[in-house]
Amino acid sequence: MGYIKKNIRRTWKKKRAINDNNGTQQKELLNVDLQENIQKVKKAFGNSSDLVVKEFFIDEERQAGILYTDGLVDSDILNDSLESIMIDKKEFKHEDLVHTRINIIDFYKKYVVSTGEVKDVEDFETLYTAVLSGDTVFVVDSCSKGLIFSTRGWEQRAIEEPTSQTVIRGPKEAFTETLRTNTALIRRKIKSNDLWLETKVIGRLTKTDVAIMYMNGIVNPKVVEEVHERLDRIDIDGIFESGNIEELIEDETYTPFPTILNTERPDAVAASLLEGRVAIFVDGTPFVLLVPTLFIQYLQSSEDYYQRFDIATLIRLLRIICFFIALLAPSLYIAITTFHQEMLPTELLISIAAQREGVPFPAFLEALIMEITFEILREAGVRMPRAVGSAISIVGALVLGQAAVEAGIVSPVMVIVVAITAISNFVFPSISMATAIRILRFILIALAASFGLYGIAIALIAMILHLCSLRSFGVPYMSPMAPFNLPDQKDTLFRLPLWALFSRPRLISQQNIIREQNPAPQKPKKERS
């Protein structure tokens, strides 16, 4: 594994060196002739119908033009910019305004264009990127430099309730596919100038905007540096979803467990930022990545911090129990009924034997048939149209389960075991961890059918060793349990009252550990009668 990682790092270094050499090559600059620039842009875009080019005169002799992509610009902002550009010609006859490249561009940049963000453009590559990003480019004849002013404003989905991480009590807003909307949702919750945001462009063809957000003074600077380094290594044609970024920057590829947390809840991202984590936003997806992440995070929900600590602790313990049920229930049933029948009470053993009397398959094949059938129904329920998807999955499970029992293919006990396993799998707040458990469940079923409880024990030992070997951006995956950290146990298996959560996770945030100065609440004094 170490040899593979070294080869991958060498390949990344070579690609980075090639990219650096390509970046040092001289870019094609804009021409002085306006018509030549416009024709070159049209040719580069293949005379696309959504490329809009508007030409006009800024004085009696000099011509100018604007270029933008229809559908990616805000019409109101564009019209206001056009009105400001079409200024009175007399202003250009002022004796102090000499018709040179710098004077004209600076005049428009400082006194004419009314949009908030205005940048210079001198090469065609920057011009193409700006036009395809929803910006408007302003070029003038006899000038080899133009202006880019922000007019982005395409159609976008409204802020709605989260679909994958719902809560009973808590905010009902979720991220959208627009990067600036998502970062604004975090700005609304954390009104601090220490909330820093840095943006990169990743993807040679898609040129996807990727933003990195963190709390300065709380986050570990080494984690931020590592995030930048891993993102800078990416050299790919296109990025369409945060899952592409996740797979390219994760610590360990060959593991079923997720080492980068994804969420569509702004409150979860804001709380993680205050703990010292780094958020990675990708334009075009409502899921935000959080690093570093811990195993215990996948068993926690945002709602745990909106309810009383005793209720939150009870629900969190219930999730941990469901974790073991979803992982071990079918394999334990197979191991006990196949190899260790003496562990069952006599009455229960006789009842199970009577139910399996007419079943022609061993318990292993029973479990395999039922698990595969349920996975098919689950996928069908997800892919089917929403109006009939839930009905197909529920009715299909009931009908197929009942029919399988009546046909003597499986026993009623196996149907119960698989059903409680599937229900427990839905308890996890994170779908990524639920998927990992689904994969490991099949491995445990095979080992239980081969070696009984010994196979399950070996698999659990191997899984624990694997979990303890994982890291997420330098942080041990199983912390604060391994390595054990007593102060951080206040928010792992149990959730203490909010006034007791006065310190941040010590392995996540290396500075500004204390987040609450007066942790203990003061009880009101009783008045003397």
Side-chain angles (χ1 to χ4, degrees):
M1 188 66 69
Y3 177 74
I4 295 174
K5 286 185 177 179
K6 287 181 180 178
N7 286 339
I8 292 174
R9 287 177 180 172
R10 277 198 213 112
T11 306
W12 273 336
K13 288 181 180 179
K14 289 180 181 178
K15 287 184 177 179
R16 196 170 183 181
I18 293 172
N19 292 335
D20 292 340
N21 293 333
N22 292 336
T24 56
Q25 294 179 0
Q26 189 174 3
K27 297 180 180 179
E28 188 176 4
L29 302 178
L30 295 177
N31 299 309
V32 180
D33 188 3
L34 174 65
Q35 294 300 324
E36 189 174 348
N37 289 333
I38 292 177
Q39 292 302 322
K40 186 173 182 62
V41 173
K42 287 183 177 180
K43 184 178 180 180
F45 280 72
N47 292 319
S48 300
S49 58
D50 58 349
L51 175 65
V52 180
V53 179
K54 181 177 178 59
E55 301 179 40
F56 53 91
F57 285 92
I58 58 176
D59 59 14
E60 290 83 353
E61 299 178 355
R62 184 161 297 183
Q63 194 176 9
I66 60 170
L67 303 93
Y68 63 91
T69 303
D70 189 19
L72 297 181
V73 299
D74 189 322
S75 58
D76 295 333
I77 300 177
L78 179 62
N79 292 332
D80 293 341
S81 301
L82 287 176
E83 289 180 2
S84 61
I85 288 176
M86 308 295 279
I87 60 175
D88 191 355
K89 299 177 183 178
K90 294 180 180 180
E91 297 188 35
F92 282 95
K93 294 181 179 181
H94 195 277
E95 57 182 6
D96 295 334
L97 185 60
V98 182
H99 284 196
T100 61
R101 178 185 65 178
I102 298 178
N103 287 342
I104 291 179
I105 294 301
D106 287 346
F107 177 78
Y108 272 95
K109 185 176 181 180
K110 294 179 180 179
Y111 304 108
V112 178
V113 180
S114 59
T115 55
E117 184 179 358
V118 183
K119 298 182 293 184
D120 295 336
V121 55
E122 296 182 347
D123 59 274
F124 282 100
E125 183 180 352
T126 306
L127 186 148
Y128 298 152
T129 303
V131 172
L132 293 173
S133 301
D135 295 329
T136 299
V137 177
F138 171 70
V139 287
V140 181
D141 192 22
S142 72
C143 292
S144 59
K145 184 170 72 170
L147 292 179
I148 299 174
F149 46 93
S150 179
T151 54
R152 302 182 185 185
W154 48 79
E155 294 294 330
Q156 62 184 19
R157 182 170 61 92
I159 298 175
E160 300 174 351
E161 186 176 352
T163 56
S164 62
Q165 298 171 332
T166 57
V167 296
I168 298 175
R169 181 175 181 178
K172 302 295 183 181
E173 58 185 9
F175 290 120
T176 67
E177 287 75 16
T178 306
L179 177 63
R180 281 294 166 252
T181 302
N182 296 340
T183 56
L185 288 172
I186 303 300
R187 291 285 186 188
R188 283 179 52 195
K189 295 184 178 296
I190 304 178
K191 302 177 180 65
S192 172
N193 59 335
D194 288 327
L195 181 61
W196 288 9
L197 180 67
E198 302 174 13
T199 306
K200 298 177 179 290
V201 178
I202 300 178
R204 293 192 300 266
L205 300 180
T206 59
K207 300 186 185 302
T208 306
D209 291 328
V210 177
I212 303 170
M213 182 177 283
Y214 56 90
M215 290 295 300
N216 182 45
I218 297 178
V219 70
N220 186 351
K222 294 182 179 179
V223 175
V224 179
E225 183 180 351
E226 183 69 21
V227 171
H228 279 287
E229 183 180 350
R230 296 190 187 186
L231 290 176
D232 291 338
R233 291 177 186 169
I234 299 176
D235 182 17
I236 194 171
D237 287 343
I239 296 293
F240 300 99
E241 215 274 338
S242 58
N244 303 140
I245 297 291
E246 179 180 355
E247 192 171 353
L248 291 170
I249 67 173
E250 61 187 356
D251 290 68
E252 186 65 42
T253 301
Y254 302 103
T255 176
F257 296 99
T259 55
I260 297 178
L261 181 64
N262 64 82
T263 179
E264 59 175 340
R265 297 189 58 87
D267 58 330
V269 174
S272 297
L273 290 174
L274 294 181
E275 287 184 344
R277 292 183 171 85
V278 179
I280 303 174
F281 297 79
V282 180
D283 191 25
T285 175
F287 289 92
V288 175
L289 305 179
L290 292 171
V291 295
T293 184
L294 309 177
F295 173 80
I296 196 64
Q297 278 186 270
Y298 295 93
L299 301 179
Q300 299 174 352
S301 173
S302 301
E303 197 173 7
D304 294 349
Y305 303 94
Y306 305 143
Q307 296 180 343
R308 286 178 49 84
F309 73 97
D310 48 358
I311 300 174
T313 300
L314 176 63
I315 297 175
R316 189 173 290 183
L317 292 175
L318 180 64
R319 293 195 198 105
I320 297 172
I321 295 173
C322 290
F323 170 82
F324 289 104
I325 292 175
L327 181 65
L328 298 173
S331 56
L332 285 176
Y333 173 79
I334 293 171
I336 293 175
T337 57
T338 305
F339 296 97
H340 312 281
Q341 297 91 345
E342 67 278 1
M343 297 181 63
L344 296 174
T346 305
E347 293 81 1
L348 179 59
L349 181 61
I350 294 173
S351 175
I352 294 176
Q355 294 177 21
R356 299 196 70 254
E357 184 177 359
V359 178
F361 303 112
F364 169 67
L365 286 180
E366 274 189 272
L368 204 60
I369 291 171
M370 290 303 298
E371 286 288 345
I372 293 175
T373 302
F374 188 82
E375 293 296 331
I376 293 172
L377 289 172
R378 188 205 305 263
E379 273 308 297
V382 173
R383 309 303 168 196
M384 291 288 288
R386 186 172 299 179
V388 296
S390 58
I392 290 294
S393 59
I394 296 173
V395 174
L398 292 174
V399 172
L400 286 177
Q402 184 66 25
V405 171
E406 293 181 356
I409 298 176
V410 296
S411 62
V413 179
M414 181 58 72
V415 175
I416 295 173
V417 171
V418 172
I420 190 63
T421 302
I423 294 172
S424 300
N425 208 75
F426 287 117
V427 175
F428 301 119
S430 173
I431 191 66
S432 301
M433 183 58 68
T435 305
I437 298 304
R438 288 162 58 187
I439 297 173
L440 293 174
R441 188 160 60 237
F442 284 98
I443 299 175
L444 285 167
I445 288 174
L447 291 174
S450 302
F451 307 103
L453 291 178
Y454 298 104
I456 296 176
I458 293 172
L460 289 178
I461 293 172
M463 186 184 74
I464 293 173
L465 292 175
H466 175 67
L467 286 171
C468 293
S469 68
L470 293 178
R471 286 180 175 267
S472 177
F473 284 77
V475 177
Y477 192 58
M478 290 300 293
S479 62
M481 295 175 287
F484 185 78
N485 190 346
L486 182 59
D488 288 347
Q489 299 301 318
K490 59 185 178 297
D491 191 22
T492 52
L493 302 181
F494 305 94
R495 205 275 277 175
L496 298 186
L498 286 179
W499 54 265
L501 305 179
F502 56 89
S503 62
R504 297 182 175 88
R506 297 179 182 271
L507 289 179
I508 303 296
S509 177
Q510 301 293 328
Q511 50 186 348
N512 195 2
I513 299 295
I514 304 300
R515 57 178 163 187
E516 192 174 353
Q517 295 298 330
N518 299 313
Q522 300 294 328
K523 295 183 179 180
K525 297 181 180 180
K526 296 182 180 180
E527 296 182 0
R528 297 181 179 179
S529 56

